[in-house]
Amino acid sequence: MSLARTLLDVRPLRTSPVFRRLLIGRTASVLGSFMTVVTVMFQVWDMTHSAMWSGAVGLAQALPLVVVGLFAGSWADRGDRRRIFLVATVGQAVCSLLLAVQAFTGNVPVAGILVLVAAGSCFGAVGGPAAGVFVPRLLPKDQVAAGLALNQVTAQAMMLLGPALGGLFLGWFGIGVCYLIDALSFGLSFYGAFGLPELPPEGEPSRAGLHGVLDGLRFLGGHRVVRGALVTDLAATVLAMPMSLFPLINEERFGGSPRTLGLFLSAVAVGGVAATALSGWVTRRARPGAVMLCGAAVWGAALAVFGLTSSAWAGLGLLVVAGAADSVSVLSRTTIVQTRTPDALLGRVTAAEQIVGQAGPHLGNLRGGLVAGWSSGATALITGGILCVLAVAYVATTTPELRAGGERE
């Protein structure tokens, strides 16, 4: 395969001005959101110096995604997804503006800040399923995977850049300015989506309320390829998520230096960005299911071996491999979900995917911490990696449609 076909496929940027504008707006809002993550954590800690309140920030961000997500997906499958996304974006911008106001005035208790964070997360849970239809509706079938890869690589780059910029801007300009920048970034996201055509569901609209949610869950239960893709992601995150174990592993094996710990955290992200930048060989293939299964298995295996190594450099290399494998697996999973789900159900299935992507890592970090408390960090990492590989092998064995490739239709 030529180098040009190995590098990130940028055809969607050339062929679709609408997608290009949408990607620019989305990238800006992701950058602002990661800056706000750092700012909220800093402000809450500065006000309370309490680990409990700091942990409550993560709960305020994750819980609305789970509670609101499936119902928001049903709503997205009944109406114009463009309009729903625009309303949700305005809501997120207003929440960021209110966070800026409270930062400048200084009169809001920490519970009020968490309420604003949770409200912004609720609007994000509404906008996510609506945005899930944009790529398959805007791009031809053979460019959908490439469009998803562009979304992924820009999000990963902003994940690296956003916290660093957030820290710098906090030092230079203070808390209020960081929140204000986030609010302005949602303005760019609104502009990017404003020029979209109306995007009502193709096919029978979702039924209202719980009936529509149950219809979506029945589809997930009955569609073996999509179900297998989401189960594979849960296996990778719940069984092998390593982030909560890094401080303990660093203390047990590598002397506890904060610089080493920072490198561990960065190595996974670097591997992910590098793999997505070289994702042309993945997005041009017609068998994302097989690629996803291989990527998830390599993720688990690399983390298990990392738990055995005593060399910091070898450990960093294994984490880069793990991050690259995870990135390939996530990209392939998203491609399967986007291309194998009927448009009339895509909002609900995207909501389920969003919940899996948010809840899985949190549960995985909890599992790792509990096992490490009973044994050691290395034991938790090794057993988690092995269990991940075994779970992926089980999915591959029991879902031949996915093992055969999960070809894009």
Side-chain angles (χ1 to χ4, degrees), residues 126-188:
V126 171
V133 308
F134 290 167
V135 172
R137 290 285 290 270
L138 294 175
L139 298 176
K141 283 285 188 182
D142 65 335
Q143 294 185 26
V144 168
L148 296 173
L150 288 164
N151 278 343
Q152 184 169 313
V153 74
T154 53
Q156 289 171 329
M158 296 307 101
M159 190 186 305
L160 288 173
L161 183 60
L165 279 181
L168 289 175
F169 278 46
L170 277 171
W172 292 342
F173 307 115
I175 294 170
V177 170
C178 290
Y179 289 135
L180 195 57
I181 290 173
D182 188 25
L184 294 174
S185 76
F186 284 117
L188 286 175

Side-chain angles (χ1 to χ4, degrees), residues 296-313:
V298 171
W299 156 263
L303 291 174
V305 178
F306 172 69
L308 295 169
T309 187
S310 58
S311 166
W313 288 110

Side-chain angles (χ1 to χ4, degrees), residues 18-388:
V18 175
F19 173 81
R20 185 166 62 241
R21 187 170 62 248
L22 190 67
L23 181 66
I24 292 171
R26 180 181 183 275
T27 302
S29 69
V30 171
L31 175 63
S33 295
F34 277 110
M35 290 178 63
T36 289
V37 168
V38 174
T39 306
V40 169
M41 292 296 295
F42 175 83
Q43 184 181 12
V44 169
W45 177 258
D46 188 56
M47 293 174 67
T48 66
H49 293 281
S50 166
M52 182 190 72
W53 280 111
S54 295
V57 173
L59 186 64
Q61 292 167 332
L63 191 58
L65 289 172
V66 177
V67 175
V68 177
L70 285 176
F71 289 94
S74 180
W75 182 29
D77 285 338
R78 290 200 311 275
D80 177 12
R81 280 76 171 259
R82 168 188 172 273
R83 182 175 300 175
I84 292 170
F85 178 79
L86 292 176
V87 170
T89 301
V90 170
Q92 289 177 290
V94 169
C95 291
S96 294
L97 279 174
L98 291 175
L99 283 169
V101 169
Q102 64 81 27
F104 286 126
T105 61
N107 295 325
V108 177
V110 65
I113 295 171
L114 295 184
V115 168
L116 290 174
V117 170
S121 186
C122 284
F123 283 113
V126 171
V133 308
F134 290 167
V135 172
R137 290 285 290 270
L138 294 175
L139 298 176
K141 283 285 188 182
D142 65 335
Q143 294 185 26
V144 168
L148 296 173
L150 288 164
N151 278 343
Q152 184 169 313
V153 74
T154 53
Q156 289 171 329
M158 296 307 101
M159 190 186 305
L160 288 173
L161 183 60
L165 279 181
L168 289 175
F169 278 46
L170 277 171
W172 292 342
F173 307 115
I175 294 170
V177 170
C178 290
Y179 289 135
L180 195 57
I181 290 173
D182 188 25
L184 294 174
S185 76
F186 284 117
L188 286 175
S189 182
F190 185 94
Y191 169 75
F194 189 76
L196 293 175
E198 291 187 0
L199 294 171
E202 295 178 342
E204 184 178 353
S206 168
R207 294 192 289 173
L210 186 60
H211 293 294
V213 173
L214 293 176
D215 289 341
L217 293 176
R218 276 191 286 270
F219 170 80
L220 286 175
H223 198 295
R224 292 169 58 81
V225 172
V226 175
R227 184 186 66 205
L230 295 184
V231 170
T232 300
D233 188 67
L234 276 176
T237 53
V238 173
L239 298 176
M241 182 55 62
M243 303 305 177
S244 66
L245 299 172
F246 282 166
L248 182 57
I249 293 288
N250 188 41
E251 185 70 31
E252 289 176 347
R253 294 284 182 88
F254 306 108
S257 169
R259 287 175 292 184
T260 307
L261 177 60
L263 288 173
F264 287 163
L265 293 168
S266 297
V268 177
V270 168
V273 172
T276 311
L278 299 172
S279 62
W281 68 275
V282 176
T283 58
R284 289 183 172 90
R285 288 180 179 270
R287 301 180 63 189
V291 174
M292 181 199 66
L293 290 167
C294 290
V298 171
W299 156 263
L303 291 174
V305 178
F306 172 69
L308 295 169
T309 187
S310 58
S311 166
W313 288 110
L316 288 173
L318 287 165
L319 291 177
V320 170
V321 171
D326 181 59
S327 181
V328 168
S329 179
V330 169
L331 174 58
S332 300
R333 182 205 74 213
T334 307
T335 301
I336 291 169
V337 169
Q338 296 279 314
T339 57
R340 298 299 294 265
T341 304
D343 182 83
L345 288 158
L346 192 52
R348 281 162 285 180
V349 175
T350 300
E353 184 187 20
Q354 182 174 262
I355 291 170
V356 167
Q358 293 287 332
H362 287 297
L363 290 174
N365 283 322
L366 177 62
R367 181 215 66 88
L370 291 174
V371 175
W374 296 330
S375 53
S376 68
T379 300
L381 200 58
I382 294 167
T383 56
I386 292 172
L387 286 173
C388 172

